[in-house]
Coordinates of all heavy atoms in Angstrom, one line a residue:
M1 N 0.0 8.0 -22.4 CA 0.0 9.3 -21.9 C 0.9 9.4 -20.7 O 0.8 8.6 -19.8 CB -1.4 9.8 -21.5 CG -1.5 11.2 -21.1 SD -3.2 11.7 -20.6 CE -4.1 11.3 -22.1
Q2 N 1.9 10.3 -20.7 CA 2.9 10.4 -19.6 C 2.4 11.5 -18.6 O 1.8 12.5 -19.1 CB 4.2 10.7 -20.1 CG 4.9 9.6 -21.0 CD 5.3 8.5 -20.1 OE1 5.6 8.6 -18.9 NE2 5.4 7.3 -20.7
L3 N 2.7 11.4 -17.4 CA 2.4 12.4 -16.4 C 3.6 12.5 -15.4 O 4.0 11.5 -14.8 CB 1.1 12.1 -15.6 CG 0.7 13.2 -14.6 CD1 0.2 14.4 -15.4 CD2 -0.4 12.6 -13.7
Q4 N 4.1 13.7 -15.3 CA 5.3 14.0 -14.4 C 4.9 14.1 -13.0 O 3.9 14.8 -12.7 CB 6.0 15.3 -14.9 CG 7.1 15.8 -14.0 CD 8.3 14.8 -14.2 OE1 8.7 14.5 -15.3 NE2 8.9 14.5 -13.1
P5 N 5.5 13.3 -12.1 CA 5.2 13.5 -10.7 C 5.6 14.9 -10.3 O 6.5 15.5 -10.8 CB 6.1 12.5 -10.0 CG 6.4 11.5 -11.0 CD 6.4 12.2 -12.3
G6 N 4.9 15.5 -9.2 CA 5.3 16.8 -8.8 C 4.1 17.6 -8.2 O 3.1 17.0 -7.9
L7 N 4.3 18.9 -8.1 CA 3.3 19.7 -7.5 C 2.4 20.3 -8.6 O 2.9 20.8 -9.7 CB 3.9 20.9 -6.8 CG 4.8 20.5 -5.5 CD1 5.4 21.8 -5.0 CD2 4.0 19.8 -4.5
Y8 N 1.1 20.2 -8.4 CA 0.2 20.7 -9.4 C -0.8 21.6 -8.8 O -1.1 21.5 -7.6 CB -0.6 19.5 -10.0 CG 0.2 18.7 -11.0 CD1 1.1 17.8 -10.6 CD2 -0.1 18.9 -12.4 CE1 1.9 17.1 -11.5 CE2 0.7 18.1 -13.3 CZ 1.6 17.2 -12.9 OH 2.3 16.5 -13.8
R9 N -1.4 22.6 -9.5 CA -2.4 23.4 -9.1 C -3.7 23.1 -9.9 O -3.7 23.1 -11.1 CB -2.1 24.9 -9.3 CG -3.2 25.9 -8.9 CD -2.8 27.3 -8.9 NE -1.9 27.6 -7.8 CZ -0.6 27.9 -7.9 NH1 0.0 28.0 -9.1 NH2 0.1 28.1 -6.9
H10 N -4.8 22.9 -9.1 CA -6.1 22.6 -9.7 C -6.6 24.0 -10.2 O -6.3 25.1 -9.7 CB -7.1 22.1 -8.6 CG -8.4 21.7 -9.1 ND1 -9.5 22.5 -9.2 CD2 -8.8 20.5 -9.7 CE1 -10.5 21.8 -9.7 NE2 -10.1 20.6 -10.0
Y11 N -7.4 24.0 -11.3 CA -7.9 25.2 -11.9 C -8.7 26.1 -10.9 O -8.8 27.3 -11.1 CB -8.7 25.0 -13.1 CG -10.1 24.4 -12.9 CD1 -11.2 25.3 -12.9 CD2 -10.3 23.1 -12.7 CE1 -12.5 24.8 -12.8 CE2 -11.6 22.6 -12.6 CZ -12.7 23.5 -12.6 OH -13.9 23.0 -12.4
K12 N -9.2 25.5 -9.8 CA -9.9 26.3 -8.8 C -9.0 26.8 -7.7 O -9.4 27.5 -6.8 CB -11.0 25.4 -8.1 CG -12.1 25.0 -9.1 CD -13.2 24.2 -8.3 CE -14.3 23.8 -9.3 NZ -15.3 22.9 -8.6
G13 N -7.7 26.5 -7.8 CA -6.7 27.1 -6.9 C -5.9 26.1 -6.0 O -4.7 26.4 -5.7
P14 N -6.5 25.1 -5.4 CA -5.7 24.3 -4.4 C -4.6 23.5 -5.1 O -4.6 23.3 -6.3 CB -6.8 23.3 -3.9 CG -8.1 23.9 -4.2 CD -7.9 24.7 -5.4
Q15 N -3.6 23.2 -4.3 CA -2.4 22.5 -4.8 C -2.4 21.0 -4.3 O -3.0 20.7 -3.3 CB -1.1 23.1 -4.3 CG -0.9 24.5 -4.9 CD 0.5 25.1 -4.5 OE1 1.3 24.4 -4.0 NE2 0.6 26.4 -4.7
Y16 N -1.8 20.2 -5.2 CA -1.8 18.8 -5.0 C -0.4 18.3 -5.3 O 0.3 18.8 -6.1 CB -2.8 18.1 -5.9 CG -4.2 18.5 -5.5 CD1 -4.8 19.6 -6.1 CD2 -5.0 17.7 -4.7 CE1 -6.1 20.0 -5.8 CE2 -6.3 18.0 -4.4 CZ -6.8 19.2 -4.9 OH -8.1 19.5 -4.6
R17 N 0.0 17.1 -4.7 CA 1.2 16.4 -5.0 C 0.8 15.1 -5.8 O 0.1 14.3 -5.2 CB 2.1 16.1 -3.8 CG 3.3 15.2 -4.1 CD 4.3 15.2 -3.0 NE 5.1 16.4 -3.2 CZ 5.2 17.3 -2.2 NH1 4.5 17.2 -1.1 NH2 5.9 18.4 -2.4
V18 N 1.3 15.0 -7.0 CA 1.1 13.8 -7.8 C 2.3 12.9 -7.5 O 3.4 13.2 -7.7 CB 1.0 14.1 -9.3 CG1 1.0 12.9 -10.1 CG2 -0.3 14.9 -9.6
F19 N 1.9 11.6 -7.1 CA 2.9 10.6 -6.9 C 3.2 9.8 -8.1 O 4.3 9.3 -8.3 CB 2.4 9.6 -5.8 CG 2.3 10.4 -4.4 CD1 1.0 10.6 -3.9 CD2 3.4 10.8 -3.7 CE1 0.9 11.3 -2.7 CE2 3.3 11.4 -2.5 CZ 2.0 11.7 -2.0
G20 N 2.2 9.5 -8.9 CA 2.4 8.8 -10.1 C 1.1 8.3 -10.7 O 0.0 8.6 -10.3
V21 N 1.2 7.4 -11.7 CA 0.1 6.8 -12.3 C 0.0 5.3 -12.0 O 1.0 4.6 -12.0 CB 0.2 6.9 -13.9 CG1 -1.0 6.2 -14.6 CG2 0.2 8.4 -14.3
A22 N -1.2 4.8 -11.6 CA -1.4 3.4 -11.2 C -2.4 2.8 -12.2 O -3.1 3.6 -12.9 CB -1.9 3.3 -9.8
R23 N -2.6 1.5 -12.1 CA -3.5 0.9 -13.0 C -4.6 0.2 -12.2 O -4.3 -0.5 -11.2 CB -2.9 -0.2 -13.9 CG -3.8 -0.9 -14.8 CD -3.2 -1.6 -15.9 NE -2.5 -0.7 -16.8 CZ -1.3 -0.9 -17.3 NH1 -0.8 -2.1 -17.2 NH2 -0.7 0.0 -18.1
H24 N -5.9 0.5 -12.5 CA -7.0 0.0 -11.8 C -7.0 -1.6 -12.0 O -6.8 -2.1 -13.1 CB -8.3 0.5 -12.4 CG -9.5 0.2 -11.6 ND1 -10.1 -1.0 -11.6 CD2 -10.3 1.0 -10.8 CE1 -11.1 -1.0 -10.8 NE2 -11.3 0.2 -10.3
S25 N -7.1 -2.3 -10.9 CA -7.0 -3.8 -10.9 C -8.1 -4.5 -11.7 O -7.9 -5.6 -12.2 CB -7.0 -4.3 -9.5 OG -8.2 -4.1 -8.8
E26 N -9.3 -3.9 -11.8 CA -10.4 -4.6 -12.5 C -10.5 -4.1 -14.0 O -10.7 -4.9 -14.9 CB -11.7 -4.3 -11.8 CG -11.7 -4.9 -10.4 CD -11.6 -6.4 -10.4 OE1 -12.2 -7.0 -11.2 OE2 -10.9 -6.9 -9.5
T27 N -10.4 -2.8 -14.2 CA -10.6 -2.2 -15.5 C -9.3 -2.0 -16.3 O -9.4 -1.7 -17.5 CB -11.4 -0.9 -15.4 OG1 -10.5 0.1 -14.8 CG2 -12.7 -1.0 -14.7
E28 N -8.2 -2.0 -15.6 CA -6.9 -1.7 -16.2 C -6.8 -0.2 -16.7 O -5.9 0.2 -17.4 CB -6.5 -2.6 -17.3 CG -6.3 -4.1 -16.7 CD -5.6 -5.0 -17.7 OE1 -5.0 -4.5 -18.7 OE2 -5.6 -6.2 -17.4
E29 N -7.7 0.6 -16.2 CA -7.7 2.1 -16.6 C -6.5 2.7 -15.8 O -6.3 2.4 -14.6 CB -9.0 2.7 -16.1 CG -9.1 4.2 -16.4 CD -10.4 4.8 -16.0 OE1 -11.0 4.3 -15.1 OE2 -10.7 5.8 -16.5
D30 N -5.8 3.6 -16.4 CA -4.8 4.4 -15.7 C -5.4 5.4 -14.9 O -6.3 6.2 -15.3 CB -3.8 5.0 -16.7 CG -2.9 4.0 -17.4 OD1 -2.6 3.0 -16.8 OD2 -2.4 4.3 -18.5
V31 N -5.0 5.5 -13.6 CA -5.5 6.5 -12.7 C -4.3 7.2 -12.1 O -3.2 6.7 -11.9 CB -6.4 5.9 -11.6 CG1 -7.7 5.4 -12.1 CG2 -5.6 4.9 -10.8
V32 N -4.5 8.5 -11.7 CA -3.4 9.3 -11.1 C -3.6 9.2 -9.6 O -4.7 9.4 -9.1 CB -3.6 10.8 -11.6 CG1 -2.5 11.7 -10.9 CG2 -3.4 10.9 -13.1
V33 N -2.5 9.0 -8.9 CA -2.5 9.0 -7.4 C -2.0 10.3 -6.9 O -0.8 10.6 -7.3 CB -1.7 7.8 -6.9 CG1 -1.7 7.8 -5.4 CG2 -2.2 6.5 -7.5
Y34 N -2.7 11.0 -6.1 CA -2.3 12.3 -5.7 C -2.8 12.7 -4.3 O -3.7 12.0 -3.8 CB -2.7 13.4 -6.7 CG -4.2 13.6 -7.0 CD1 -4.8 14.7 -6.5 CD2 -4.9 12.7 -7.8 CE1 -6.1 14.9 -6.8 CE2 -6.2 12.9 -8.0 CZ -6.8 14.0 -7.5 OH -8.2 14.3 -7.8
Q35 N -2.2 13.7 -3.7 CA -2.5 14.1 -2.3 C -2.9 15.6 -2.3 O -2.1 16.4 -2.9 CB -1.4 13.8 -1.4 CG -1.6 14.2 0.0 CD -0.5 13.9 0.9 OE1 0.7 13.9 0.5 NE2 -0.7 13.5 2.2
A36 N -4.0 15.9 -1.6 CA -4.3 17.3 -1.4 C -3.2 17.9 -0.4 O -2.8 17.3 0.5 CB -5.7 17.4 -0.7
L37 N -2.8 19.1 -0.7 CA -1.9 19.8 0.2 C -2.6 20.8 1.0 O -2.1 21.9 1.2 CB -0.8 20.4 -0.7 CG 0.1 19.4 -1.4 CD1 1.1 20.1 -2.3 CD2 0.7 18.3 -0.5
Y38 N -3.7 20.5 1.5 CA -4.6 21.3 2.4 C -5.5 20.4 3.1 O -5.7 19.3 2.8 CB -5.3 22.4 1.5 CG -6.3 21.7 0.6 CD1 -7.6 21.5 1.0 CD2 -5.9 21.3 -0.7 CE1 -8.5 20.9 0.1 CE2 -6.8 20.7 -1.5 CZ -8.1 20.5 -1.1 OH -9.0 19.9 -2.0
G39 N -6.2 21.0 4.1 CA -7.2 20.3 4.9 C -6.7 19.0 5.6 O -5.7 19.1 6.3
E40 N -7.3 17.9 5.3 CA -6.9 16.6 5.8 C -5.8 15.9 5.1 O -5.4 14.8 5.4 CB -8.1 15.7 6.0 CG -9.1 16.3 7.0 CD -10.3 15.4 7.1 OE1 -10.3 14.2 6.7 OE2 -11.3 15.8 7.7
F41 N -5.3 16.5 4.0 CA -4.2 16.0 3.2 C -4.6 14.6 2.6 O -3.7 13.7 2.7 CB -2.9 16.0 4.0 CG -2.3 17.4 4.2 CD1 -2.8 18.1 5.3 CD2 -1.4 17.9 3.4 CE1 -2.3 19.4 5.5 CE2 -0.9 19.2 3.6 CZ -1.4 19.9 4.7
G42 N -5.8 14.4 2.2 CA -6.3 13.1 1.8 C -5.6 12.7 0.5 O -5.1 13.5 -0.3
L43 N -5.6 11.4 0.3 CA -5.1 10.7 -0.9 C -6.3 10.5 -1.9 O -7.4 10.1 -1.4 CB -4.4 9.4 -0.6 CG -3.1 9.5 0.1 CD1 -2.6 8.1 0.4 CD2 -2.1 10.2 -0.8
W44 N -6.1 10.7 -3.1 CA -7.1 10.7 -4.1 C -6.6 9.9 -5.4 O -5.4 9.8 -5.6 CB -7.5 12.1 -4.6 CG -8.1 12.9 -3.5 CD1 -7.5 13.6 -2.6 CD2 -9.5 12.9 -3.1 NE1 -8.3 14.2 -1.7 CE2 -9.6 13.8 -2.0 CE3 -10.7 12.4 -3.6 CZ2 -10.8 14.1 -1.4 CZ3 -11.9 12.7 -3.0 CH2 -11.9 13.5 -1.9
V45 N -7.5 9.4 -6.1 CA -7.2 8.9 -7.5 C -8.2 9.5 -8.4 O -9.4 9.8 -8.0 CB -7.2 7.3 -7.6 CG1 -6.1 6.8 -6.7 CG2 -8.6 6.8 -7.2
R46 N -7.8 9.7 -9.7 CA -8.7 10.2 -10.7 C -8.2 9.6 -12.0 O -7.0 9.4 -12.2 CB -8.5 11.7 -10.7 CG -9.4 12.4 -11.8 CD -9.1 13.9 -11.9 NE -9.5 14.6 -10.6 CZ -10.5 15.4 -10.5 NH1 -11.3 15.7 -11.5 NH2 -10.7 16.0 -9.4
P47 N -9.1 9.3 -12.9 CA -8.7 8.7 -14.2 C -7.7 9.7 -14.9 O -7.8 10.9 -14.9 CB -10.0 8.7 -15.0 CG -11.0 8.5 -14.0 CD -10.6 9.4 -12.8
L48 N -6.6 9.1 -15.4 CA -5.5 9.9 -16.1 C -6.1 10.8 -17.1 O -5.7 12.0 -17.2 CB -4.5 9.0 -16.6 CG -3.3 9.6 -17.4 CD1 -2.5 10.6 -16.5 CD2 -2.4 8.6 -18.0
E49 N -7.0 10.3 -17.9 CA -7.6 11.1 -19.0 C -8.3 12.4 -18.5 O -8.1 13.5 -19.0 CB -8.5 10.3 -19.9 CG -9.0 11.0 -21.1 CD -9.8 10.1 -22.0 OE1 -9.4 8.9 -22.2 OE2 -10.9 10.5 -22.4
M50 N -9.0 12.2 -17.4 CA -9.7 13.3 -16.8 C -8.7 14.3 -16.1 O -8.8 15.5 -16.2 CB -10.7 12.8 -15.7 CG -11.5 14.0 -15.1 SD -12.5 13.4 -13.7 CE -13.8 12.5 -14.6
F51 N -7.7 13.8 -15.4 CA -6.7 14.6 -14.8 C -6.0 15.5 -15.8 O -5.8 16.7 -15.5 CB -5.6 13.7 -14.1 CG -4.7 14.5 -13.2 CD1 -5.0 14.6 -11.8 CD2 -3.6 15.1 -13.7 CE1 -4.1 15.3 -11.0 CE2 -2.7 15.8 -12.8 CZ -3.0 15.9 -11.5
C52 N -5.7 15.0 -17.0 CA -5.0 15.7 -18.0 C -5.9 16.5 -18.9 O -5.4 17.2 -19.9 CB -4.2 14.8 -18.8 SG -2.8 14.0 -17.9
S53 N -7.2 16.6 -18.6 CA -8.1 17.3 -19.5 C -8.1 18.8 -19.2 O -7.5 19.3 -18.3 CB -9.6 16.7 -19.3 OG -10.0 17.1 -18.0
T54 N -8.9 19.5 -20.1 CA -9.0 20.9 -19.9 C -10.4 21.3 -19.5 O -11.3 20.4 -19.7 CB -8.6 21.7 -21.2 OG1 -9.5 21.2 -22.2 CG2 -7.2 21.5 -21.6
V55 N -10.6 22.5 -18.9 CA -11.9 23.0 -18.6 C -12.0 24.4 -19.1 O -11.0 25.0 -19.3 CB -12.2 22.9 -17.0 CG1 -12.1 21.5 -16.5 CG2 -11.1 23.7 -16.3
E56 N -13.3 24.9 -19.2 CA -13.5 26.2 -19.6 C -13.8 27.1 -18.4 O -14.7 26.8 -17.6 CB -14.6 26.3 -20.6 CG -14.7 27.7 -21.3 CD -15.6 27.7 -22.4 OE1 -15.6 26.8 -23.3 OE2 -16.4 28.7 -22.5
V57 N -13.0 28.1 -18.2 CA -13.2 29.1 -17.1 C -13.3 30.5 -17.7 O -12.4 31.0 -18.3 CB -12.1 29.0 -16.1 CG1 -12.2 30.0 -14.9 CG2 -11.9 27.6 -15.5
D58 N -14.4 31.1 -17.5 CA -14.7 32.5 -18.0 C -14.3 32.6 -19.5 O -13.7 33.6 -19.9 CB -13.8 33.5 -17.2 CG -14.2 33.6 -15.7 OD1 -15.4 33.4 -15.4 OD2 -13.3 33.8 -14.9
G59 N -14.7 31.6 -20.2 CA -14.5 31.6 -21.7 C -13.2 31.2 -22.1 O -12.9 31.2 -23.3
E60 N -12.3 30.8 -21.2 CA -10.9 30.5 -21.5 C -10.7 29.0 -21.2 O -11.1 28.5 -20.2 CB -9.9 31.3 -20.7 CG -8.5 31.0 -21.0 CD -7.5 31.9 -20.2 OE1 -7.9 32.8 -19.5 OE2 -6.3 31.6 -20.3
T61 N -10.0 28.3 -22.1 CA -9.7 26.9 -21.9 C -8.4 26.8 -21.1 O -7.4 27.3 -21.5 CB -9.6 26.1 -23.2 OG1 -10.8 26.2 -23.9 CG2 -9.3 24.7 -23.0
V62 N -8.5 26.1 -20.0 CA -7.3 26.0 -19.1 C -7.2 24.5 -18.7 O -8.1 23.7 -18.7 CB -7.4 26.8 -17.8 CG1 -7.5 28.3 -18.2 CG2 -8.6 26.4 -17.0
P63 N -5.9 24.1 -18.3 CA -5.8 22.7 -17.8 C -6.5 22.5 -16.5 O -6.5 23.4 -15.7 CB -4.3 22.5 -17.7 CG -3.7 23.9 -17.7 CD -4.7 24.8 -18.3
R64 N -7.1 21.3 -16.3 CA -7.7 21.0 -15.0 C -6.7 21.0 -13.9 O -6.9 21.5 -12.8 CB -8.4 19.6 -15.1 CG -9.1 19.2 -13.9 CD -9.8 17.8 -14.0 NE -10.7 17.7 -15.1 CZ -12.0 18.1 -15.0 NH1 -12.5 18.5 -13.9 NH2 -12.8 18.0 -16.1
F65 N -5.5 20.5 -14.2 CA -4.4 20.5 -13.2 C -3.2 21.0 -14.0 O -2.9 20.4 -15.1 CB -4.1 19.1 -12.7 CG -5.1 18.6 -11.7 CD1 -6.2 17.9 -12.1 CD2 -5.0 18.8 -10.3 CE1 -7.2 17.4 -11.3 CE2 -5.9 18.3 -9.4 CZ -7.0 17.6 -9.9
A66 N -2.5 22.0 -13.5 CA -1.3 22.5 -14.1 C -0.1 22.3 -13.3 O -0.1 22.5 -12.1 CB -1.4 24.1 -14.4
L67 N 1.0 21.8 -14.0 CA 2.2 21.5 -13.3 C 2.9 22.8 -12.7 O 3.0 23.7 -13.5 CB 3.2 20.8 -14.2 CG 4.6 20.4 -13.6 CD1 4.4 19.4 -12.5 CD2 5.4 19.8 -14.7
I68 N 3.2 22.8 -11.5 CA 3.9 23.9 -10.8 C 5.4 23.6 -10.8 O 6.2 24.4 -11.2 CB 3.4 24.2 -9.4 CG1 1.9 24.5 -9.4 CG2 4.2 25.3 -8.7 CD1 1.3 24.6 -8.0
E69 N 5.7 22.4 -10.3 CA 7.1 22.0 -10.1 C 7.2 20.5 -10.2 O 6.6 19.8 -9.5 CB 7.6 22.5 -8.8 CG 9.1 22.1 -8.5 CD 9.6 22.6 -7.2 OE1 8.9 23.5 -6.6 OE2 10.7 22.2 -6.8
A70 N 8.0 20.0 -11.2 CA 8.3 18.6 -11.3 C 9.1 18.1 -10.2 O 9.9 18.8 -9.6 CB 9.0 18.3 -12.6
E71 N 8.9 16.8 -9.8 CA 9.7 16.2 -8.7 C 10.1 14.8 -9.2 O 9.5 14.3 -10.1 CB 8.8 16.0 -7.5 CG 8.4 17.3 -6.8 CD 7.5 17.1 -5.6 OE1 6.9 16.1 -5.4 OE2 7.5 18.1 -4.8
P72 N 11.2 14.3 -8.6 CA 11.6 12.9 -9.1 C 10.5 11.9 -8.8 O 9.8 12.0 -7.8 CB 12.8 12.6 -8.2 CG 13.2 13.9 -7.5 CD 12.0 14.8 -7.6
A73 N 10.4 10.9 -9.6 CA 9.5 9.8 -9.3 C 9.8 9.1 -8.0 O 11.0 8.8 -7.7 CB 9.5 8.8 -10.5
R74 N 8.8 8.8 -7.3 CA 9.0 8.1 -6.0 C 8.9 6.6 -6.1 O 9.3 5.9 -5.2 CB 7.9 8.6 -5.0 CG 8.1 10.0 -4.6 CD 6.9 10.5 -3.8 NE 7.0 12.0 -3.6 CZ 7.3 12.5 -2.4 NH1 7.4 11.7 -1.4 NH2 7.3 13.8 -2.3
F75 N 8.3 6.1 -7.2 CA 8.2 4.7 -7.4 C 8.8 4.3 -8.7 O 8.4 4.9 -9.8 CB 6.7 4.3 -7.4 CG 6.0 4.8 -6.1 CD1 5.2 5.9 -6.1 CD2 6.1 4.0 -5.0 CE1 4.6 6.3 -5.0 CE2 5.5 4.4 -3.8 CZ 4.7 5.6 -3.8
A76 N 9.7 3.4 -8.7 CA 10.4 2.9 -9.9 C 9.6 1.9 -10.7 O 8.9 1.1 -10.1 CB 11.7 2.4 -9.6
K77 N 9.6 2.0 -12.0 CA 8.9 1.0 -12.8 C 9.9 -0.1 -13.1 O 11.1 0.2 -13.3 CB 8.5 1.6 -14.2 CG 7.3 2.6 -14.0 CD 6.8 3.0 -15.4 CE 5.6 3.9 -15.3 NZ 5.1 4.3 -16.6
E78 N 9.4 -1.3 -13.0 CA 10.3 -2.4 -13.3 C 10.0 -3.1 -14.6 O 9.0 -3.0 -15.1 CB 10.2 -3.5 -12.1 CG 10.6 -3.0 -10.8 CD 10.5 -4.0 -9.7 OE1 10.5 -5.2 -10.0 OE2 10.4 -3.6 -8.6

């Protein structure tokens, strides 16, 4: 599953910057590394599958995080 780095909006409204996908050192699960663009601007990780999932809001299925604007990758894969 691919994920484009960039600005995303959570279905509840706040915006986040996605830096990329990392691999958990113990489970090898893919996790998304992202930063809140509000409050304390904390760094977060969330399983890739959950990040890319959908949720139901007022009877409508919407993405949990929706891409607002793609940005270049900050970390190169070797």
Side-chain angles (χ1 to χ4, degrees):
M1 183 181 307
Q2 295 286 336
L3 184 69
Q4 176 69 44
L7 298 177
Y8 284 77
R9 178 173 287 112
H10 188 267
Y11 75 96
K12 293 181 181 176
Q15 292 186 15
Y16 297 85
R17 171 164 282 117
V18 168
F19 295 108
V21 176
R23 183 163 295 144
H24 190 287
S25 63
E26 298 296 319
T27 65
E28 295 193 11
E29 178 181 26
D30 286 336
V31 294
V32 178
V33 179
Y34 62 106
Q35 181 179 30
L37 297 180
Y38 62 91
E40 295 181 13
F41 291 81
L43 289 175
W44 297 88
V45 296
R46 181 185 295 250
L48 176 61
E49 188 173 313
M50 182 186 289
F51 191 94
C52 295
S53 69
T54 58
V55 296
E56 191 171 315
V57 178
D58 297 327
E60 181 181 352
T61 302
V62 297
R64 184 178 299 275
F65 289 88
L67 181 64
I68 299 170
E69 182 179 345
E71 296 179 340
R74 296 171 185 250
F75 304 100
K77 289 186 178 182
E78 295 183 25

